[in-house]
Amino acid sequence: MADSPVAELLLRRLEAADGGLDSAEVAAELGVEHQAMVGAVKSLQALGEIIEAEQRSSRRWELTTEGEEIAREGSHEARVFHSIPPEGLAQSELMRLPSGKVGFSKAMSNKWIRVDKSTADGPRVFRVVDSVADEVQRRLRLVQCGEAEKLGEKERSELRKRKLLSEVILKTYWVNKGSAFSTSISKQETELSPEMISSGSWRDRPFKPYNFSARGVLPSSGHLHPLLKVRTQFRQIFLEMGFTEMPTDNFIESSFWNFDALFQPQQHPARDQHDTFFLRDPAEAGQLPMDYVQRVKRTHSQGGYGSQGYKYAWKLDEARKNLLRTHTTSASARALYRLAQKKPFTPAKYFSIDRVFRNETLDATHLAEFHQIEGVVADHGLTLGHLMGVLREFFTKLGITQLRFKPAYNPYTEPSMEVFSYHQGLKKWVEVGNSGIFRPEMLLPMGLPENVSVIAWGLSLERPTMIKYGINNIRELVGHKVNLQMVYDSPLCRLDAEPVRSRMQEAA
Amino acid sequence: MPTVSVKRGLLFQALGRTYTDEEFDELCFEFGLELDEITSEKELISKEQGNEKAAKASDVVLYKIDVPANRYDLLCLEGLVRGLQVFKERIKAPVYKRVLPKGEIQKLTITEETAKIRPYAVAAVLRNIKFTKDRYDSFIELQEKLHQNICRKRALVAIGTHDLDTLSGPFTYTAKRPSDIKFKPLNKTKEYTACELMNIYKTDNQLKHYLHIIENKPLYPVIYDSNGVVLSMPPIINGDHSKITVKTRNVFIECTGTDFTKAKIVLDIIVTMFSEYCENQFTVEATEVVFANGKSHTFPELAYRKEIVRADLINKKIGIRETPENLAKLLTRMHLKSEVIGNGNQIEIEIPPTRADIIHACDIVEDAAIAYGYNNIQMSLPKTYTIANQFPLNKLTELLRHDMAAAGFTEGLTFALCSQEDIADKLGLDISATKAVHISNPKTAEFQVARTTLLPGLLKTIAANRKMPLPLKLFEISDIVVKDSSRDVGARNYRHLCAVHYNKSPGFEIIHGLLDRIMQLLNVPPGERKGGYVIKASEGSAFFPGRCAEIFARGQSIGKLGVLHPDVITKFELTMPCSSLEINIEPFL
């Protein structure tokens, strides 16, 4: 059984027909609304190959409401003409007729009537001819019978200007039998039900096909933050490479560990109020490892360990000043100091990824806090070539293979090298990290053996994430102004796989 | 990193050849410089002040070159060219000499009044120098670069350069009460007292930054000649009387400061760079400086120092195998004249006065590596064998994060710094009750304190995402900071877990259920038995009365959960009911 009687009727007609049918014609023949026929065609189409339907559009002339009235009752001018008795009619009276105004001027220009203004009681209207042929009514009746093509272009456009005719575009279907044509269509099931399974009725039932181009319903779930998904991947990479995670859960650090221990002189611009957040409370670090502090002081102010030193008056008060750590290298310094206290020396590989703070001017790519990634290897006889080799492995795991190294200056590494990688999108070399070998003036006062070198490198977590995900404004990624939709939509983080840029940008 | 701009034409003329921009960029990269920008005066002015002002400016091409912060010898065209020419072995490094004048030596005496303000001064004379407009501009520009970098905005060292022919030595460096100092400063038409000047310069865009260095001192430093002419009032301004021009032939240079080492370096850099234009190239006329203690010194020092480094040490640090002779050659290209000595494995390196950055053998190793070419070094992997460990707190955090997301909560990442209002007023607390650490120099209220709770960050995240469909379920596992006198720095972090539920109804049962789930994940059973967890009715200023409970686990209080107080919701610009949970996860390690 078909879904609707109209569909069933259509199928019967189609069975009898030789070749195809026009939906509008069938509708007219069956005396149903064309819209109902279109619905039947669509529902049959959805069933698969029962019918084939091709959409066509055709133009057709139709009468307007006024046009239909004229086709029925005659044109205004004819009605005016017929309402005038042989003895004539007062013009004022004629004007009060429904067709009066329009009909009068039209009948005048057709020379069917005349006005006599000499009569005593105002102008009177008289017939001029005995009978008239109502051409407008005839033409409209032709259109009404579907024979509009018998009218000339000029005649049609005149009627259209008088708003008696309008042209409509009709969308119809040209319907043919489909490959699975049948007049007996049974109602399709939408879903499999437990009853069907238990009764086995699913075997005899047709099922409505699925629309596979529609979107599914997203599962309701929680989501991890994209930057922290990248953090997870970086941790994974370091762990794969045998690096042990350093404790970094101390945002507050003394100037000593943040700067002095790294052989960063006390007048260094990074120690300026403009660059670093210092603390008002607690303003100073109460405890410092004083033996070690003395060695650091001597190295800064007088030199030693083969160094000339910076030759300035090093002040303990300056070293005690508390601050929000400006880099996680302070945590690396603490870890290396602990390592130096263990005798005999055992080689170590360390990493950390955590927040650091800078009292900087904020813009689209800089915030006052960001995450720093740091890797450190301490062993006998490490070389610059080793550093480059470790960097190559590390960046390969990030999917970055084209590397180049530029000499650079860092206060606590020497030699120092900036790491550049070729960016396919930007078509240029971009800096992806900074690295070097820690200065002996940093390591030897800690108590590390002289022939132990420590290679290290660092990069920010935000920058590769922004490049990877195509995010231009860091505030969309980090902080409370994050776009949660972006968090919901963010894909897996697979650093060595193809960039996920385009999808992320869509989401943003 | 300081940036030096040089005219491309002048640079290529001095280098004796031209480069394409790409070639020059490559050369910079190799040498450890960065060709930061190719521009012109016109372009720079038009960018800052619009096309109209730029119309008359020069369109000579400028290279802006980033120079490493410790290479003061590369801060001017002269030094850059010398560095690159020696690097490319087109010239040999010049030898800088200090000479005594034929007549009387110039003398500068320091009086003891300077001790408390700016105790050090050094000086030298560039005799029979020939400036051109470009040389003169470079001379002024170098002083500016030095002031901004090694001189730490004139706080450590300030430079004054004078036309010696307008002055008459000996000179005195002393300190006087500001009202007693009166002179015509550079580019002014009349005399002012120091007090007046300090007022005038408060509105001077350049000089106002230096006033603080001496502003509150009872005495201001000042240098006079034997006729009482003021040379300068360091570190603020020079006198107009002795100002140098393109026509000046004899330049008297004085550097005053609080850091003796840096004052000597600055003087050495200026004279080594510009003695190139003296009649006797690379010679500098000595000046005698008598310190307040009566001891006499001669400047500039122009000290050459010798270091001996083993060739195999250089090879071992870099990871290359070059002969000692080759290494000596590489170092010589870096302005470090070197030769093989002794048994053939020692290299003697001469460190010139221009290379104050060389303070250890590792600096020499780096220069050898640069000359060898970083990108020519064979990469290898260290044999270091280690077993990796995760930091237990981070390991726990990672595990919990994933299960929080699996429980339907979305992760936030909020700032560790915030305003006092966020952690106190908005939560109905007084700031003194928070144990928060306070920042002394915040530029805005957003950075007044480190957060003591994660809740404000998550509530602000919701406020910024109010257009999102409800419910909003967020969590964050991150550190908060509180004062703790038992720690070396007097403060410590705690790893907190915070979750919020924001919807048309508070959903306390959802937050409570989340707590139950977290405890299940942490293998903490419900109940008061030792090792279990319970929640007990409590109160908190952030919570709606009667809708707050304290969470106890493993015998200690670990946090609170409840329905937020309407005042808190309103203060965070929210409109819906909200319940939250915040616990310290460190007891579960």
Side-chain angles (χ1 to χ4, degrees):
Chain A
M1 216 191 86
D3 275 6
S4 73
V6 180
E8 208 175 328
L9 289 170
L10 173 63
L11 290 174
R12 297 248 165 81
R13 288 271 171 157
L14 205 53
E15 189 184 25
D18 233 2
L21 292 174
D22 181 79
S23 59
E25 280 170 20
V26 180
E29 282 165 28
L30 293 174
V32 298
E33 284 287 318
H34 185 238
Q35 225 20 62
M37 186 56 68
V38 169
V41 169
K42 282 187 176 160
S43 72
L44 289 171
Q45 265 181 315
L47 300 179
E49 304 297 319
I50 307 237
I51 60 163
E52 277 173 14
E54 180 193 335
Q55 202 176 38
R56 290 179 176 181
S57 62
S58 60
R59 289 162 181 282
R60 219 184 59 187
W61 293 96
E62 266 183 7
L63 298 191
T64 61
T65 320
E66 194 184 351
E68 275 175 4
E69 182 195 316
I70 289 172
R72 199 167 57 240
E73 311 203 353
S75 66
H76 299 296
E77 54 270 32
R79 275 186 265 172
V80 163
F81 179 81
H82 291 302
S83 59
I84 300 174
E87 65 276 16
L89 191 66
Q91 187 177 5
S92 55
E93 205 173 316
L94 183 139
M95 282 308 184
R96 279 197 293 273
L97 295 172
S99 300
K101 275 178 192 156
V102 194
F104 174 74
S105 57
K106 207 73 190 159
M108 281 294 285
S109 72
N110 285 355
K111 296 204 170 82
W112 292 348
I113 56 175
R114 67 178 170 86
V115 183
D116 183 353
K117 292 185 178 160
S118 59
T119 51
D121 49 351
R124 276 187 95 78
V125 185
F126 295 95
R127 288 186 184 185
V128 175
V129 291
D130 292 339
S131 65
V132 295
D134 191 351
E135 198 52 30
V136 173
Q137 186 182 35
R138 188 186 69 84
R139 286 173 192 164
L140 290 177
R141 280 181 174 167
L142 273 180
V143 174
Q144 210 169 26
C145 302
E147 292 176 65
E149 65 276 9
K150 285 189 179 160
L151 294 178
E153 187 64 40
K154 209 176 152 193
E155 292 160 332
R156 278 203 299 260
S157 77
E158 191 203 318
L159 291 172
R160 197 176 56 193
K161 270 183 212 145
R162 287 181 69 174
K163 299 209 164 89
L164 304 177
L165 263 193
S166 69
E167 192 177 18
V168 293
I169 293 168
L170 186 67
K171 295 217 159 143
T172 59
Y173 284 93
W174 185 254
V175 188
N176 263 309
K177 289 175 194 159
S179 57
F181 182 79
S182 155
T183 50
S184 60
I185 310 284
S186 64
K187 185 171 169 65
Q188 293 175 311
E189 298 293 345
T190 49
E191 288 301 354
L192 194 59
S193 69
E195 293 73 31
M196 292 177 196
I197 294 171
S198 63
S199 69
S201 68
W202 59 269
R203 290 177 211 279
D204 325 312
R205 293 296 184 86
F207 285 83
K208 208 169 182 177
Y210 278 169
N211 175 6
F212 290 111
S213 60
R215 287 286 181 97
V217 178
L218 281 178
S220 71
S221 69
H223 307 266
L224 294 173
H225 191 282
L227 187 81
L228 300 179
K229 289 201 271 196
V230 180
R231 182 181 72 179
T232 301
Q233 289 312 301
F234 272 101
R235 284 184 89 242
Q236 184 68 30
I237 288 170
F238 276 114
L239 293 170
E240 284 168 9
M241 291 175 73
F243 284 67
T244 284
E245 192 170 30
M246 291 182 273
T248 46
D249 58 334
N250 57 320
F251 294 166
I252 307 302
E253 192 53 277
S254 59
S255 291
F256 178 78
W257 285 108
N258 197 78
F259 294 123
D260 296 283
L262 302 174
F263 196 52
Q264 204 154 346
Q266 295 190 327
Q267 319 84 345
H268 193 277
R271 304 179 71 153
D272 206 288
Q273 299 274 329
H274 296 296
D275 293 299
T276 300
F277 287 115
F278 288 94
L279 291 197
R280 190 183 82 216
D281 182 23
E284 289 199 334
Q287 307 148 40
L288 293 175
M290 289 315 288
D291 260 18
Y292 172 43
V293 168
Q294 284 310 317
R295 294 194 293 274
V296 169
K297 173 182 177 173
R298 205 166 48 240
T299 317
H300 277 247
S301 55
Q302 299 162 33
Y305 308 103
S307 175
Q308 300 288 310
Y310 292 123
K311 302 199 174 98
Y312 70 98
W314 187 91
K315 295 194 183 85
L316 182 61
D317 288 350
E318 194 62 41
R320 282 197 190 278
K321 283 185 184 169
N322 274 334
L323 44 78
L324 278 150
R325 68 172 174 224
T326 63
H327 46 202
T328 47
T329 317
S330 57
S332 304
R334 284 180 183 262
L336 289 169
Y337 176 73
R338 277 193 301 271
L339 181 69
Q341 309 319 305
K342 275 193 272 175
K343 311 282 180 197
F345 170 80
T346 39
K349 295 195 291 203
Y350 293 140
F351 83 95
S352 66
I353 310 170
D354 210 337
R355 290 178 199 242
V356 299
F357 305 85
R358 305 271 170 96
N359 195 6
E360 278 181 350
T361 314
L362 315 182
D363 60 33
T365 52
H366 293 90
L367 291 174
E369 49 190 280
F370 62 95
H371 290 74
Q372 188 185 336
I373 302 168
E374 183 150 305
V376 173
V377 186
D379 201 352
H380 296 280
L382 294 177
T383 69
L384 211 47
H386 286 137
L387 172 59
M388 291 161 68
V390 173
L391 287 170
R392 182 185 56 193
E393 296 306 316
F394 177 78
F395 281 100
T396 301
K397 281 181 174 285
L398 302 179
I400 295 173
T401 50
Q402 244 181 313
L403 286 190
R404 189 158 91 127
F405 303 91
K406 175 181 161 298
Y409 168 68
N410 302 317
Y412 41 88
T413 58
E414 189 84 9
S416 309
M417 40 172 66
E418 281 169 2
V419 190
F420 282 71
S421 95
Y422 191 74
H423 194 282
Q424 296 293 349
L426 301 172
K427 295 263 175 277
K428 65 172 190 181
W429 292 89
V430 294
E431 194 194 328
V432 291
N434 209 338
S435 70
I437 303 182
F438 282 132
R439 293 190 72 99
E441 293 102 319
M442 165 182 164
L443 302 179
L444 296 177
M446 289 177 172
L448 284 167
E450 203 162 340
N451 53 357
V452 165
S453 294
V454 180
I455 59 178
W457 74 99
L459 58 153
S460 90
L461 178 63
E462 281 78 358
R463 196 171 139 80
T465 305
M466 288 172 76
I467 293 175
K468 200 88 188 168
Y469 289 96
I471 294 168
N472 295 322
N473 186 352
I474 194 162
R475 282 166 217 269
E476 259 188 34
L477 180 68
V478 183
H480 56 268
K481 288 182 184 151
V482 66
N483 175 353
L484 278 181
Q485 191 63 50
M486 182 273 293
V487 176
Y488 291 172
D489 294 344
S490 83
L492 294 178
C493 172
R494 297 157 71 204
L495 291 171
D496 51 353
E498 282 301 296
V500 283
R501 223 189 147 101
S502 52
R503 279 181 57 192
M504 287 297 289
Q505 272 174 340
E506 264 173 39
Chain B
M1 204 188 281
T3 305
V4 180
S5 35
V6 294
K7 292 181 183 166
R8 186 173 66 179
L10 280 183
L11 178 71
F12 289 173
Q13 192 188 340
L15 288 171
R17 60 159 290 187
T18 60
Y19 292 85
T20 64
D21 292 341
E22 291 72 30
E23 282 168 349
F24 193 74
D25 182 48
E26 197 61 31
L27 175 63
C28 284
F29 194 95
E30 204 187 332
F31 192 56
L33 304 171
E34 209 171 322
L35 180 52
D36 186 50
E37 200 183 347
I38 302 167
T39 176
S40 70
E41 214 166 286
K42 188 178 251 174
E43 218 178 298
L44 290 174
I45 295 178
S46 116
K47 228 185 272 170
E48 279 166 19
Q49 308 171 29
N51 284 326
E52 232 163 85
K53 297 238 168 144
K56 280 188 197 151
S58 149
D59 45 16
V60 169
V61 177
L62 290 179
Y63 275 174
K64 296 193 118 190
I65 301 169
D66 279 350
V67 173
N70 62 343
R71 289 298 298 272
Y72 318 119
D73 58 320
L74 302 176
L75 288 176
C76 60
L77 175 86
E78 290 72 16
L80 274 172
V81 167
R82 226 174 281 164
L84 288 171
Q85 291 293 72
V86 173
F87 183 59
K88 284 289 167 192
E89 296 178 288
R90 293 202 200 96
I91 61 166
K92 281 200 170 141
V95 179
Y96 308 102
K97 275 201 205 101
R98 183 175 78 192
V99 294
L100 288 171
K102 290 197 190 92
E104 193 125 324
I105 188 168
Q106 295 296 337
K107 201 166 161 183
L108 172 69
T109 304
I110 306 176
T111 73
E112 58 191 20
E113 288 85 357
T114 61
K116 281 192 182 140
I117 320 151
R118 231 175 151 74
Y120 303 108
V122 295
V125 174
L126 286 174
R127 188 65 77 177
N128 290 320
I129 195 166
K130 218 170 179 176
F131 282 126
T132 62
K133 178 73 172 66
D134 285 321
R135 290 171 182 183
Y136 176 85
D137 289 347
S138 175
F139 187 62
I140 302 295
E141 188 59 30
L142 173 63
Q143 291 173 49
E144 180 55 22
K145 292 282 178 236
L146 290 168
H147 274 151
Q148 292 311 314
N149 293 283
I150 180 175
C151 302
R152 293 302 318 282
K153 299 188 174 128
R154 304 194 189 178
L156 301 182
V157 186
I159 309 158
T161 54
H162 311 277
D163 187 336
L164 184 56
D165 298 332
T166 66
L167 296 166
S168 139
F171 305 100
T172 310
Y173 173 42
T174 185
K176 286 192 167 185
R177 284 215 306 269
S179 53
D180 295 345
I181 301 172
K182 192 169 187 190
F183 67 106
K184 188 165 92 176
L186 198 60
N187 302 329
K188 294 272 185 212
T189 49
K190 55 174 259 204
E191 293 199 344
Y192 297 92
T193 67
C195 309
E196 291 169 331
L197 281 178
M198 295 299 269
N199 261 324
I200 292 172
Y201 291 147
K202 277 201 176 102
T203 54
D204 184 300
N205 276 336
Q206 199 203 346
L207 296 179
K208 68 179 178 196
H209 303 293
Y210 310 121
L211 304 181
H212 71 96
I213 303 172
I214 57 167
E215 208 165 23
N216 298 318
K217 311 270 180 180
L219 305 178
Y220 286 2
V222 60
I223 303 177
Y224 293 100
D225 82 346
S226 62
N227 296 325
V229 172
V230 171
L231 276 71
S232 63
M233 183 176 82
I236 312 297
I237 190 79
N238 288 349
D240 194 65
H241 178 89
S242 58
K243 77 169 170 209
I244 66 163
T245 67
V246 177
K247 294 197 187 95
T248 300
R249 293 303 310 273
N250 298 298
V251 183
F252 180 69
I253 303 159
E254 39 87 4
C255 301
T256 58
T258 55
D259 186 315
F260 188 37
T261 312
K262 290 204 162 62
K264 289 190 288 185
I265 294 173
V266 168
L267 182 66
D268 277 353
I269 292 292
I270 296 178
V271 298
T272 51
M273 292 300 116
F274 282 86
S275 56
E276 182 174 349
Y277 302 132
C278 288
E279 201 167 84
N280 290 322
Q281 262 199 326
F282 305 119
T283 64
V284 186
E285 184 179 307
T287 297
E288 186 187 342
V289 179
V290 183
F291 280 31
N293 61 11
K295 280 197 182 157
S296 176
H297 300 255
T298 309
F299 297 107
E301 279 195 341
L302 292 183
Y304 282 80
R305 183 176 97 240
K306 295 219 159 138
E307 293 266 359
I308 293 170
V309 181
R310 290 200 330 273
D312 62 334
L313 180 111
I314 298 178
N315 276 327
K316 269 190 200 159
K317 292 283 177 194
I318 304 176
I320 55 175
R321 281 186 192 166
E322 287 292 296
T323 62
E325 288 73 20
N326 277 346
L327 291 174
K329 230 182 253 174
L330 291 174
L331 288 169
T332 303
R333 282 176 54 203
M334 297 303 288
H335 241 113
L336 301 171
K337 206 173 116 204
S338 303
E339 53 184 348
V340 180
I341 58 158
N343 59 7
N345 192 29
Q346 309 264 51
I347 300 175
E348 188 183 69
I349 299 123
E350 186 183 67
I351 291 122
T354 48
R355 293 299 306 274
D357 59 299
I358 306 279
I359 57 175
H360 190 278
C362 67
D363 299 302
I364 294 167
V365 170
E366 177 177 79
D367 272 19
I370 293 172
Y372 183 84
Y374 276 8
N375 295 292
N376 299 325
I377 299 169
Q378 187 73 40
M379 298 187 205
S380 60
L381 278 180
K383 303 270 177 286
T384 315
Y385 183 82
T386 49
I387 304 287
N389 289 304
Q390 301 185 51
F391 180 51
L393 185 58
N394 291 354
K395 185 176 181 177
L396 176 64
T397 302
E398 281 290 297
L399 290 169
L400 276 176
R401 282 175 66 228
H402 284 88
D403 269 300
M404 291 296 287
F409 282 71
T410 291
E411 189 171 32
L413 172 58
T414 64
F415 297 127
L417 305 184
C418 58
S419 65
Q420 290 189 17
E421 209 190 4
D422 283 344
I423 55 164
D425 314 29
K426 286 186 183 174
L427 299 178
L429 279 178
D430 190 81
I431 188 69
S432 60
T434 59
K435 293 207 292 178
V437 304
H438 291 259
I439 293 167
S440 67
N441 55 333
K443 282 183 187 149
T444 72
E446 287 172 90
F447 312 119
Q448 288 173 325
V449 291
R451 64 182 172 201
T452 52
T453 156
L454 300 178
L455 180 63
L458 288 184
L459 293 179
K460 281 153 81 178
T461 306
I462 293 176
N465 284 278
R466 273 174 308 198
K467 61 181 194 306
M468 298 294 290
L470 295 173
L472 282 170
K473 297 195 278 183
L474 298 182
F475 81 96
E476 182 169 11
I477 309 179
S478 188
D479 286 358
I480 61 101
V481 183
V482 288
K483 285 193 280 184
D484 180 344
S485 57
S486 71
R487 293 299 175 107
D488 61 349
V489 295
R492 64 161 295 177
N493 288 19
Y494 280 103
R495 183 73 38 100
H496 274 200
L497 183 163
C498 181
V500 292
H501 176 268
Y502 181 71
N503 201 0
K504 285 180 185 131
S505 70
F508 177 80
E509 69 289 354
I510 294 170
I511 282 296
H512 189 188
L514 183 71
L515 174 70
D516 293 337
R517 173 64 183 149
I518 293 167
M519 290 301 135
Q520 204 173 45
L521 290 166
L522 292 169
N523 205 16
V524 179
E528 256 188 290
R529 286 169 295 134
K530 203 165 184 245
Y533 77 100
V534 286
I535 65 171
K536 290 180 180 169
S538 172
E539 48 193 41
S541 61
F543 296 100
F544 199 45
R547 299 272 187 280
C548 169
E550 190 164 1
I551 307 160
F552 295 86
R554 300 208 167 147
Q556 57 177 297
S557 167
I558 58 163
K560 281 179 179 167
L561 81 168
V563 176
L564 290 184
H565 196 286
D567 286 345
V568 173
I569 292 170
T570 315
K571 280 178 183 153
F572 281 96
E573 293 166 17
L574 299 174
T575 52
M576 302 276 167
C578 184
S579 51
S580 79
L581 146 80
E582 182 157 359
I583 59 169
N584 168 18
I585 63 165
E586 298 194 16
F588 306 104
L589 279 175

